[in-house]
Amino acid sequence: MAPERVSKKFRKLYGRCSREIARYAEEDALASARLRKVVTIWERWSLLEQEDLYCAALAKAGVKDKVVGKQALVLQTSVDELEGAMSELEDAVEALRQMAKEGRNFVASEYRQAGGAGAPEGGRGEDRTLTIAATDYVDGLDAIFKMHEKSFKLKQAVYGEIKASKDVAEREDLLSYFVSPPCFDHKMVESALARAKT
């Protein structure tokens, strides 16, 4: 295995990984802000979720359709932006999956070329002239991907629960899990990225 080629490949992979993590963070912030807005609208105008009842209530109160349309538009725009951000989060997770897979395949290929049938199982025992073991690069990418994937799946589930819930307090509790998933470890991500730069 050629250490320079390996470290160069992983520097590129981790550079791409950093960009996808930044995209994930940006879209995550947007999704959280839009979900908070949607939950707030539902709290204030709970009948907006049931459009026919809402329109009837406003008509009874003598409010014009124009107001109904504006309020419904604000809600729909926020929902559309939230779902667009969720789609971007999914794309970022998929990109991280591809990078983790690319890293694993690259190391496996390097070992096959370098050692043939006698190469160490799973890439252990690599060239010690690397700053960190090639498998540590791979493990870092894999850990980053799995954590983002778990976080995204939790967000999807929580969003579904929030839409199904009619209880204001429950929605607020669920929103806190969406905004700050307990499975997401920022320090681990920073540590993996920093270690790969050494």
Side-chain angles (χ1 to χ4, degrees):
M1 181 180 259
E4 186 53 40
R5 184 166 64 242
V6 171
S7 61
K8 185 177 179 183
K9 174 69 173 178
F10 278 104
R11 278 196 302 273
K12 284 184 178 178
L13 274 175
Y14 272 87
R16 284 171 41 208
C17 182
S18 293
R19 289 189 293 277
E20 287 303 326
I21 289 169
R23 176 167 74 126
Y24 185 95
E26 184 179 322
E27 295 301 330
D28 186 25
L30 176 62
S32 295
R34 291 303 173 263
L35 183 56
R36 180 166 295 290
K37 188 173 186 178
V38 166
V39 167
T40 300
I41 291 169
W42 284 340
E43 282 175 22
R44 291 180 184 165
W45 303 312
S46 58
L47 288 175
L48 258 179
E49 295 175 80
Q50 302 162 349
E51 197 175 333
D52 53 340
L53 293 176
Y54 185 67
C55 290
L58 287 176
K60 191 174 181 180
V63 180
K64 295 182 179 178
D65 287 343
K66 195 173 185 181
V67 174
V68 177
K70 281 184 181 177
Q71 290 173 344
L73 181 62
V74 169
L75 177 61
Q76 189 56 53
T77 301
S78 297
V79 169
D80 290 347
E81 288 174 357
L82 167 60
E83 291 181 355
M86 291 292 283
S87 178
E88 286 295 320
L89 289 177
E90 188 173 17
D91 286 349
V93 168
E94 184 55 35
L96 291 170
R97 178 198 310 276
Q98 290 302 319
M99 281 175 244
K101 182 179 177 183
E102 190 178 329
R104 277 192 305 277
N105 291 343
F106 175 73
V107 168
S109 171
E110 283 292 302
Y111 274 105
R112 273 196 299 279
Q113 290 172 9
E121 186 67 29
R124 305 286 173 197
E126 51 275 301
D127 193 321
R128 295 295 171 207
T129 57
L130 285 169
T131 309
I132 66 172
T135 49
D136 288 345
Y137 282 118
V138 173
D139 292 345
L141 285 172
D142 201 48
I144 288 169
F145 153 65
K146 285 180 178 169
M147 191 179 58
H148 281 82
E149 180 185 46
K150 192 183 291 185
S151 172
F152 175 66
K153 285 182 177 178
L154 177 65
K155 284 176 183 290
Q156 284 181 309
V158 167
Y159 179 42
E161 289 293 317
I162 287 173
K163 287 196 290 188
S165 175
K166 301 299 177 193
D167 181 81
V168 172
E170 183 182 36
R171 281 178 170 168
E172 281 298 325
D173 288 343
L174 289 167
L175 181 60
S176 69
Y177 280 100
F178 187 96
V179 173
S180 301
C183 58
F184 199 87
D185 184 352
H186 290 280
K187 287 184 180 176
M188 186 282 285
V189 173
E190 290 167 10
S191 173
L193 291 173
R195 193 156 186 240
K197 289 176 184 174
T198 58

